Amino acid sequence: MELTLSVNQALAQLDVLNGKDIRVQGILSFDFEEVCVSHFPVAERHDNPRSSIWLAVGSGAMGFDEEVCRRLHGKRVVVEGTFSAASATMGCGHMGMWPAELLARSLDRA
């Protein structure tokens, strides 16, 4: 996995990338009810959260290091994981507001 996509690039290819492992670069939000990566640069964003991807972790032992995520909040990051489109009846994330989610395996400062 060499190519790093912007959030908008990933969302534009949702049908093709659904279920695939991808790498996305954007701005991390790590707030209550808003754990996502948003498109960068800000000037190219569509209405939020349409330019954001919800971040999730598996139900096993893997989880977000909350202290690291708080330090990276508002910063550019690169996230790798499995990309999934929202279902036809329900979006992703808190209250189903996101068009897709990334089941994250790694999160690093860009």
Side-chain angles (χ1 to χ4, degrees), residues 31-105:
D31 276 331
F32 180 66
E33 299 175 348
E34 186 176 355
V35 179
C36 63
V37 62
S38 298
H39 184 76
F40 181 84
V42 175
E44 295 176 2
R45 284 187 193 165
H46 308 300
D47 291 336
N48 204 26
R50 293 294 142 198
S51 281
S52 297
I53 299 171
W54 181 260
L55 296 180
V57 291
S59 58
M62 170 70 180
F64 289 114
D65 182 327
E66 291 187 20
E67 185 172 323
V68 170
C69 288
R70 276 192 287 275
R71 280 197 317 259
L72 292 175
H73 172 76
K75 307 244 184 331
R76 286 176 55 191
V77 296
V78 174
V79 186
E80 291 185 20
T82 305
F83 193 51
S84 299
S87 73
T89 58
M90 182 65 167
C92 298
H94 179 68
M95 297 185 67
M97 294 174 43
W98 281 262
E101 88 173 11
L102 192 59
L103 183 58
R105 280 191 308 281

Side-chain angles (χ1 to χ4, degrees), residues 1-5 20-24 78-83 102 105-106:
M1 182 178 1
E2 292 182 25
L3 181 64
T4 300
L5 302 170
K20 300 223 163 89
D21 289 339
I22 66 169
R23 180 184 308 167
V24 173
V78 174
V79 186
E80 291 185 20
T82 305
F83 193 51
L102 192 59
R105 280 191 308 281
S106 71

